[in-house]
Amino acid sequence: MGESTTANFHHVRTMRKDSRLRRNWAKLRRNKAALFGGALLLIYLVTAVLAPVLFPGNPSAPNLAKSLERPSFDNPLGTDELGRSILGRIIYGSRVSLLIAVGVVSVGLLVGVPLGLISGYYGGKVDFGIQRVTDMMLAFPGFLLALALVAVLGVGLKNTVISIGISMVPIYIRLVRGCVLSVREEVYVEAARAVGTRDPGILMRHILPNVMVPITVQTSLGMGTAILFAAGLGFLGVGVQPPTPEWGAMLGSGRVYLFNSPHVATFPGVAIFLSVLSFNLLGDGLRDALDPRFKL
Amino acid sequence: MNTDNEPLLAIRNLHTCFHVFEGVVNAVDGVDLEVPHGETVGLVGESGCGKSVTALSILRLLRCPPAEIQGQVIFHGRNLLDLDREGIRKIRGNAISMIFQEPMTSLNPVLTIGEQIAEAVRLHQGMSRREAWRWAEEMLRMVQIPGARARAREYPHKLSGGMRQRAMIAMALSCNPQLLLADEPTTALDVTIQAQIMSLMSNLKEEFGTSILLITHDLGVIAEMASRVIVMYAGKVVEEAPVKELFKEPLHPYTKGLLGSVPVIGRKAQTGRRLHEIPGTVPSLLEMPRGCRFHPRCPKMMDVCSGEEPPTIHMGGDRRVCCWLFAKT
Amino acid sequence: MALLEVQNLKKYFPVKKGVLSRSVGEVRAVDGVSFSLEKGETLGVVGESGCGKTTVGRCILRLIEPTSGEVIFNGRNLLQLGGEELRRIRASLQIIFQDPFSSLDPRMTVGQIIAEPIKNHLNVSKAEVRDRVAYLMERVGLHPEQMGRYPHEFSGGQHQRIGIARALALNPLAIVCDEPVSALDVSIQAQVMNLLAEIQEEMNLSYIFIAHDLSVVEHISDRVAVMYLGRIVETATDRDLYENPQHPYTQALLSAIPIPDPEIRRQKIILKGDVPSPLEPPSGCSFHTRCPERKEICTKERPAFKDLGGGHRVACHLR
């Protein structure tokens, strides 16, 4: 006999009206880490939106006279080798990284979710085909795959988004397919078939809404990964090209001056770290808050 | 057997509540009940009435918090709620043991049936490894598991539902308990298997004189197994009576309603196709009606019912009922 | 002519093993089931877990694809219909599920759930859909104002009412009720059974009422079919089945039901052992391993389904 058993008071949980949202919000609020992530993300978003207000000048205009200055009142984070304000470039860089994050996740969602839905719902040969391709793509480490795609497509913002996006597609396919496989067996899906709902209706109205929670969580985590990957490509010089302020590229060019002017590489690194952290913390928090098995 | 008049188990004013997100749920709200020596007492009610929580509270098998247990559970003159962890552990599975509705979840899937029984006996009775194993085989034979020797070496998933419940009973009886708490022991089983388990339990009770607190929603099982019946509704005892009297002349409107709403095979010709129904639904434990908890569904509701809680009225012949209809004014 | 005629229905599930999913055998979940259902009639199907009763229900609606057999509904063989034709016929042949909560999409409101069949089959305006949903909710005893609520805000009995409203949405001719009350509390069970009976009279519906509880089945049915290991062993009118059960399995099942009356003390027939695995069904009569009256012939030959007159049929060598 077990040391302790919890009584099943499921009936209590289902009785109280419309408290699901409130409970989820309460669970999220109790999660300090998620709140911290959310706050960071908010700062990040505000920075990206208000960039021209926060830094009125042109972040890409060189001013060689001020090359590699240490942090001062005029340039709180110092200047880089071309005398540009690092603070300004980080502020504008937030726009670039946000654009990349949203773009990458959109590619991943738009391609991965439909393929995952089809693969999971129909099964059979379609599923087999999609899964083998997914297997092949997952055999490479994600970053290597993105790097290889860049090698094929070429450098630049658009290609960075496409390459990283495609490298993330198999993750979405796997995730969605797995969820669909379990939701497909739910009685309400059978009930929908029994009242004569066609397959597209079942997929869009019954299955998709019921797999949204894991997709949402993955989207948050995916944005963090996207920023990291984009920074990695930028660092290697095959991502977004200068003079566009991109954190990874800034880190890459600052690497040369690491001994004498460490601030050139440090601050972009901190920006990458904090933005990735914010998405990861929020993603984990969402997972805990939205997962019904995780009880308060 | 004990000859004095003290009941084997006496529960006095038991309150068990759960602290949940929405507030406090009073799952058991002032329950009194007794289990006399050698008797089977049936505890009947619908889901959420607190019958299972009552049983779990006896052995303190609820995680506290969120649960909180108050009151007295007197077993052999001692209040089980006052015992320390070690004290209650010595009682569990030894003097009082429990069988659950779904045997699979209460058996450990990675230990063989024999190991699980032997472990309990070694723990409580201080038998040696070999003795305990032999005892386990003996117990499995006693609950009529065919090929008991071989079965003792098998894992729970290899057994059918009925066999698992037998194994569970064997485990529960292995330390020769004085009281068996049986929580819906046959609900998950098919009718023909249920008949097997019920006859097994009756035989074992005769043989060992074990008292049983039988918790079920099935009035048929109660009628065939129990000598006394306690009816619970929304965390409270509404009626208690010897089994024959309860079925012959139920007093509380809820008991009447419950008895009327069960289809009885072969009675359609007399009663017609329409079953008696109790209108409405069981109230949420978070939003209990004031006064008598049954009054919103009661066909005999009076003014007083919605205002004040009904008193417990002791009727002749060992009966009690908790209803304003029987209060002498 | 009967509204629904099922002929020799079979469903074998392949059992696959290993990486290559080789077929290593088959589970004969339904093994040659035949029955008919008249207009306005309730046919009860009773049996223990694993007897195939649920699979029969699903096969009739082709929610599970049967292996072979015929299902003639309203003059058409459902097993030969294409996807779109089948979809359309589902308007008149409906199902109610055992677990009412899990049969309702948690992300849809009750109004959307009940409206789904209407939107699928009829081209009507939003207002008309709304009116129809409101009418249906009222009909099954729910408040139409609660249309915008989600399933988790309702109780178990109300879930089943929602399921019933959805099944009634298109005025079906027949409903397969798959254990519709077994997940409900006793007092709620009576409410739902009364509702089903009322609706049946009002709409002249036919039911196939599948349940494991013989007293529930007997109560609501006009005729009862008893299943054991994928086959029907006895069919009789409700009264005949109770007063004059013929098959030893039916007799055991009847005697095993606990009667809520302590004054009645019966001699029970307690069957030995468990239901055999449908993966390896016993030879001959599939009940012979547990039958108290077993004879030599039972282990060898499969008994024919004999007509004893008056619609009472039994598959037993000894009758």
Side-chain angles (χ1 to χ4, degrees):
Chain A
M1 207 177 294
E3 170 62 23
S4 77
T5 316
T6 39
N8 174 12
F9 43 95
H10 167 79
H11 56 277
V12 179
R13 302 207 154 264
T14 52
M15 271 189 266
R16 188 58 174 254
K17 323 279 177 242
D18 62 39
S19 58
R20 190 191 274 178
L21 251 179
R22 266 197 302 137
R23 197 197 340 264
N24 286 345
W25 171 235
K27 273 201 283 189
L28 196 62
R29 246 185 22 204
R30 281 204 189 178
N31 189 334
K32 292 269 157 41
L35 272 194
F36 179 64
L40 268 183
L41 187 63
L42 196 69
I43 295 172
Y44 175 42
L45 291 177
V46 168
T47 308
V49 172
L50 298 181
V53 180
L54 293 173
F55 188 81
N58 178 352
S60 300
N63 181 357
L64 290 172
K66 290 191 165 184
S67 167
L68 294 176
E69 278 183 14
R70 291 184 178 268
S72 64
F73 186 75
D74 285 341
N75 286 308
L77 302 182
T79 59
D80 66 2
E81 71 278 15
L82 298 176
R84 300 173 295 198
S85 162
I86 290 179
L87 178 65
R89 289 182 67 74
I90 286 180
I91 288 175
Y92 274 87
S94 69
R95 296 190 137 187
V96 178
S97 66
L98 191 66
L99 194 70
I100 290 172
V102 171
V104 163
V105 168
S106 307
V107 172
L109 286 173
L110 287 176
V111 182
V113 172
L115 286 177
L117 281 175
I118 291 168
S119 184
Y121 185 68
Y122 289 102
K125 282 184 186 144
V126 188
D127 181 38
F128 187 84
I130 294 175
Q131 286 317 305
R132 293 301 80 79
V133 175
T134 312
D135 282 343
M136 277 192 282
M137 290 175 80
L138 284 173
F140 295 97
F143 186 69
L144 212 60
L145 187 62
L147 202 60
L149 286 164
V150 165
V152 177
L153 297 170
V155 297
L157 179 66
K158 194 179 82 188
N159 287 342
T160 300
V161 168
I162 295 175
S163 321
I164 303 176
I166 291 177
S167 79
M168 284 194 170
V169 162
I171 299 173
Y172 284 96
I173 295 183
R174 271 290 152 87
L175 176 79
V176 173
R177 175 179 178 265
C179 298
V180 171
L181 283 181
S182 70
V183 173
R184 188 180 69 168
E185 302 301 323
E186 294 284 344
V187 186
Y188 57 77
V189 172
E190 197 174 19
R193 282 209 290 143
V195 296
T197 310
R198 293 186 182 87
D199 280 348
I202 291 179
L203 276 170
M204 298 309 293
R205 267 185 307 174
H206 295 283
I207 293 186
L208 187 59
N210 281 292
V211 300
M212 275 319 284
V213 167
I215 294 178
T216 310
V217 172
Q218 182 57 42
T219 301
S220 181
L221 297 175
M223 285 193 171
T225 316
I227 291 174
L228 206 57
F229 277 22
L233 292 177
F235 181 83
L236 296 176
V238 294
V240 180
Q241 293 301 298
T244 315
E246 198 278 326
W247 294 345
M250 288 166 73
L251 190 71
S253 59
R255 172 183 57 138
V256 187
Y257 315 103
L258 206 54
F259 265 109
N260 296 323
S261 311
H263 63 272
V264 184
T266 306
F267 292 117
V270 170
I272 295 169
F273 168 72
L274 289 178
S275 60
V276 174
L277 185 70
S278 73
F279 281 116
N280 284 353
L281 289 180
L282 187 72
D284 283 340
L286 281 176
R287 171 163 49 208
D288 292 346
L290 300 178
D291 186 351
R293 281 166 302 177
F294 179 84
K295 294 262 168 68
L296 197 66
Chain B
M1 201 181 286
N2 212 328
T3 45
D4 58 348
N5 285 332
E6 283 291 299
L8 178 65
L9 177 84
I11 297 180
R12 305 258 180 260
N13 201 19
L14 181 74
H15 287 265
T16 303
C17 61
F18 295 95
H19 298 271
V20 295
F21 174 72
E22 292 90 343
V24 179
V25 173
N26 293 306
V28 175
D29 199 3
V31 162
D32 292 281
L33 67 85
E34 291 179 356
V35 182
H37 290 276
E39 272 199 51
T40 300
V41 175
L43 191 55
V44 69
E46 297 179 280
S47 55
C49 73
K51 55 190 193 301
S52 293
V53 177
T54 303
L56 294 170
S57 301
I58 295 172
L59 283 178
R60 287 165 44 193
L61 290 168
L62 295 162
R63 221 184 314 150
C64 304
E68 197 184 321
I69 310 171
Q70 282 171 345
Q72 287 184 308
V73 178
I74 313 284
F75 180 74
H76 279 296
R78 281 191 303 176
N79 183 357
L80 299 186
L81 301 185
D82 288 342
L83 295 182
D84 58 9
R85 282 178 73 97
E86 190 54 26
I88 191 79
R89 196 189 60 74
K90 279 184 183 153
I91 298 229
R92 286 179 193 157
N94 192 15
I96 304 179
S97 57
M98 185 151 180
I99 49 183
F100 298 92
Q101 172 171 353
E102 192 17 87
M104 195 58 204
T105 51
S106 24
L107 289 170
N108 186 339
V110 298
L111 291 178
T112 62
I113 298 287
E115 280 168 339
Q116 296 187 53
I117 300 176
E119 193 187 330
V121 201
R122 265 176 40 218
L123 205 67
H124 290 300
Q125 312 273 323
M127 282 190 195
S128 76
R129 213 164 259 280
R130 185 174 295 176
E131 275 174 331
W133 184 265
R134 216 176 295 138
W135 183 247
E137 283 180 2
E138 187 53 42
M139 291 308 293
L140 290 174
R141 210 166 292 135
M142 197 186 68
V143 294
Q144 295 158 20
I145 289 185
R149 267 188 92 108
R151 288 293 185 188
R153 284 169 213 285
E154 279 183 4
Y155 291 92
H157 71 266
K158 294 271 250 179
L159 305 184
S160 68
M163 286 301 157
R164 267 183 231 139
Q165 198 56 289
R166 283 169 195 266
M168 192 72 215
I169 293 174
M171 201 189 316
L173 294 180
S174 58
C175 297
N176 206 356
Q178 290 156 299
L179 176 64
L180 185 63
L181 308 176
D183 186 2
E184 304 270 8
T186 59
T187 305
L189 305 174
D190 277 319
V191 204
T192 57
I193 309 297
Q194 166 171 289
Q196 294 173 355
I197 298 292
M198 279 167 62
S199 100
L200 173 72
M201 283 177 67
S202 311
N203 292 343
L204 293 175
K205 196 194 114 208
E206 296 291 305
E207 205 168 316
F208 296 96
T210 316
S211 305
I212 301 176
L213 182 63
L214 176 67
I215 296 149
T216 178
H217 69 282
D218 189 329
L219 292 163
V221 172
I222 289 280
E224 295 196 359
M225 300 277 292
S227 51
R228 297 186 64 74
V229 189
I230 295 164
V231 184
M232 280 185 76
Y233 182 78
K236 286 188 179 289
V237 172
V238 294
E239 183 165 3
E240 175 175 1
V243 67
K244 287 189 180 173
E245 289 171 41
L246 186 98
F247 280 86
K248 195 191 278 171
E249 198 200 354
L251 297 178
H252 198 284
Y254 175 66
T255 318
K256 276 187 189 156
L258 211 54
L259 287 174
S261 53
V262 201
V264 181
I265 199 150
R267 290 225 180 127
K268 190 162 57 170
Q270 303 152 38
T271 57
R273 194 153 173 225
R274 200 175 166 81
L275 289 166
H276 174 88
E277 59 180 66
I278 305 175
T281 50
V282 179
S284 154
L285 291 170
L286 284 155
E287 294 155 20
M288 271 303 158
R290 268 172 56 81
C292 172
R293 293 176 171 191
F294 187 60
H295 85 259
R297 306 175 73 189
C298 184
K300 297 198 171 153
M301 205 257 281
M302 304 178 290
D303 286 344
V304 63
C305 301
S306 58
E308 272 180 75
E309 276 197 32
T312 298
I313 321 256
H314 290 269
M315 315 288 280
D318 247 7
R319 299 192 71 164
R320 63 173 159 144
V321 60
C322 188
C323 177
W324 281 113
L325 287 174
F326 302 91
K328 290 184 189 79
T329 43
Chain C
M1 194 180 149
L3 176 68
L4 179 74
E5 183 91 38
V6 173
Q7 284 295 338
N8 206 15
L9 188 71
K10 288 183 181 167
K11 176 64 193 177
Y12 297 169
F13 290 102
V15 178
K16 290 181 175 170
K17 258 198 181 150
V19 248
L20 297 171
S21 324
R22 262 184 323 134
S23 224
V24 293
E26 48 195 11
V27 174
R28 303 188 163 193
V30 179
D31 197 10
V33 162
S34 309
F35 59 80
S36 65
L37 178 71
E38 302 293 331
K39 186 116 191 67
E41 183 193 34
T42 301
L43 173 73
V45 179
V46 70
E48 296 180 285
S49 51
C51 75
K53 56 189 191 299
T54 295
T55 312
V56 168
R58 297 289 208 278
C59 282
I60 292 172
L61 279 104
R62 272 182 70 189
L63 289 171
I64 293 177
E65 217 49 59
T67 308
S68 69
E70 280 183 7
V71 178
I72 317 249
F73 176 67
N74 228 357
R76 303 172 74 185
N77 187 353
L78 299 190
L79 304 193
Q80 285 165 359
L81 295 186
E84 192 55 28
E85 279 177 303
L86 180 67
R87 203 185 67 78
R88 253 182 264 129
I89 218 147
R90 282 189 177 146
S92 37
L93 183 59
Q94 273 299 309
I95 180 165
I96 301 172
F97 296 91
Q98 168 170 18
D99 182 349
F101 182 62
S102 68
S103 79
L104 308 175
D105 188 331
R107 310 250 163 202
M108 281 169 100
T109 65
V110 169
Q112 289 171 326
I113 290 169
I114 301 174
E116 188 169 15
I118 307 172
K119 288 182 182 158
N120 282 340
H121 293 276
L122 305 174
N123 197 4
V124 290
S125 73
K126 269 195 174 151
E128 284 173 286
V129 172
R130 227 191 125 75
D131 288 349
R132 177 85 185 137
V133 170
Y135 163 77
L136 286 164
M137 287 182 77
E138 198 134 12
R139 182 62 203 84
V140 299
L142 295 165
H143 299 292
E145 312 87 76
Q146 296 180 332
M147 215 180 268
R149 294 208 179 168
Y150 288 88
H152 72 271
E153 300 170 39
F154 292 84
S155 69
Q158 288 169 324
H159 290 147
Q160 199 54 288
R161 288 174 194 270
I162 298 167
I164 294 172
R166 171 173 60 189
L168 292 177
L170 295 162
N171 292 322
L173 298 170
I175 300 182
V176 174
C177 307
D178 182 16
E179 300 260 17
V181 296
S182 57
L184 304 176
D185 271 320
V186 186
S187 70
I188 310 298
Q189 181 175 316
Q191 293 175 2
V192 171
M193 281 172 70
N194 284 343
L195 177 66
L196 286 172
E198 265 170 40
I199 293 169
Q200 175 167 45
E201 262 171 49
E202 208 175 283
M203 303 175 65
N204 198 21
L205 272 170
S206 308
Y207 290 145
I208 291 178
F209 195 99
I210 300 164
H212 69 278
D213 187 335
L214 189 49
S215 36
V216 167
V217 168
E218 192 254 8
H219 183 84
I220 201 158
S221 306
D222 304 309
R223 273 188 311 133
V224 180
V226 181
M227 281 188 75
Y228 187 78
L229 269 185
R231 295 174 192 168
I232 293 180
V233 296
E234 183 161 6
T235 52
T237 62
D238 54 332
R239 192 168 183 150
D240 239 10
L241 191 85
Y242 167 67
E243 284 173 359
N244 187 22
Q246 287 298 315
H247 199 282
Y249 178 64
T250 315
Q251 292 169 351
L253 209 54
L254 271 166
S255 90
I257 300 171
I259 300 279
D261 188 345
E263 304 285 347
I264 299 176
R265 286 276 170 246
R266 298 165 300 165
Q267 191 57 47
K268 285 203 175 190
I269 306 169
I270 294 188
L271 292 177
K272 292 216 172 67
D274 289 311
V275 181
S277 157
L279 194 59
E280 295 154 355
S283 59
C285 170
S286 49
F287 185 60
H288 82 253
T289 53
R290 300 172 80 197
C291 186
E293 301 177 44
R294 181 181 60 208
K295 294 269 178 340
E296 183 71 29
I297 186 170
C298 304
T299 58
K300 288 175 185 147
E301 270 178 57
R302 184 172 167 177
F305 204 40
K306 278 171 281 197
D307 200 334
L308 304 178
H312 197 150
R313 307 178 82 188
V314 64
C316 180
H317 288 299
L318 309 171
R319 306 287 181 247

